[in-house]
Amino acid sequence: MITRFLPLLLMIALAGCAMPKIVVFDDPLTAQQHNDLGVAYEEKGDFGLAEKEYEKALKKNREWVIPYLNLGHLYYRQDKLDRAEHILREGLRAKGDHPDLLNNLAWVLMEKGRLEHAQYLVDKAISIEDKEEYRDTRREILERKKDRVNRNLP
């Protein structure tokens, strides 16, 4: 009797071993902890791991502005201005008109030569909160606009 079922049992056992197993890991870290890890990796110069940790922080909490700022800054440091612009705009969509996001996006756009839009954004940031760093961004934008006009003179 057992010999009749042995091939069937053997097939079931082999099929069970061949089945892919889905393992779900529960990430125990908070958004803050992932962000802090990102900062540590960035300080060590490991930009790839820093990027991954900032992204994990954003997945944990899309409403928290700091990972958007950190990831934007990381991209800016690597001269990935399009990616910096994208993540800062994503932060603005999630958080609304946050002055730090506006200021950082203004700086990125200034670096890309989009001075009018950059000035608009930094003026908006200043209207929300008047900080020295925002005024510094505005001064730099105005200086570049002035240089652009002077270069166009005969």
Side-chain angles (χ1 to χ4, degrees), residues 87-101:
I87 197 67
L88 293 169
R89 286 189 187 281
E90 190 176 306
L92 286 168
R93 281 189 294 277
K95 286 298 295 175
D97 287 339
H98 190 283
D100 288 339
L101 290 167

Side-chain angles (χ1 to χ4, degrees), residues 7-114:
L8 180 61
L9 288 173
L10 185 60
M11 285 177 33
I12 291 172
L14 289 175
C17 292
M19 295 294 287
K21 293 184 177 148
I22 298 173
V23 179
V24 177
F25 291 108
D26 185 31
D27 182 356
L29 298 183
T30 66
Q32 172 97 32
Q33 290 168 324
H34 279 296
N35 185 74
D36 292 348
L37 274 173
V39 170
Y41 285 131
E42 186 174 354
E43 287 174 355
K44 287 177 58 177
D46 194 336
F47 294 160
L49 286 176
E51 178 181 12
K52 287 178 184 173
E53 291 302 324
Y54 293 144
E55 287 173 351
K56 287 177 186 177
L58 285 173
K59 284 181 185 171
K60 289 272 184 163
N61 185 353
R62 289 258 175 227
E63 299 298 312
W64 189 31
V65 73
I66 300 301
Y68 291 107
L69 292 167
N70 286 343
L71 192 50
H73 181 258
L74 178 71
Y75 291 143
Y76 175 80
R77 285 183 67 187
Q78 298 174 82
D79 202 32
K80 297 177 179 178
L81 298 181
D82 289 338
R83 292 182 82 181
E85 178 182 354
H86 175 78
I87 197 67
L88 293 169
R89 286 189 187 281
E90 190 176 306
L92 286 168
R93 281 189 294 277
K95 286 298 295 175
D97 287 339
H98 190 283
D100 288 339
L101 290 167
L102 290 166
N103 179 68
N104 288 14
L105 180 55
W107 191 273
V108 168
L109 293 178
M110 176 189 68
E111 291 293 335
K112 293 175 79 173
R114 296 171 54 197

Side-chain angles (χ1 to χ4, degrees), residues 115-126:
L115 301 178
E116 292 300 324
H117 193 63
Q119 184 179 346
Y120 168 78
L121 292 173
V122 78
D123 286 345
K124 194 174 198 179
I126 291 168

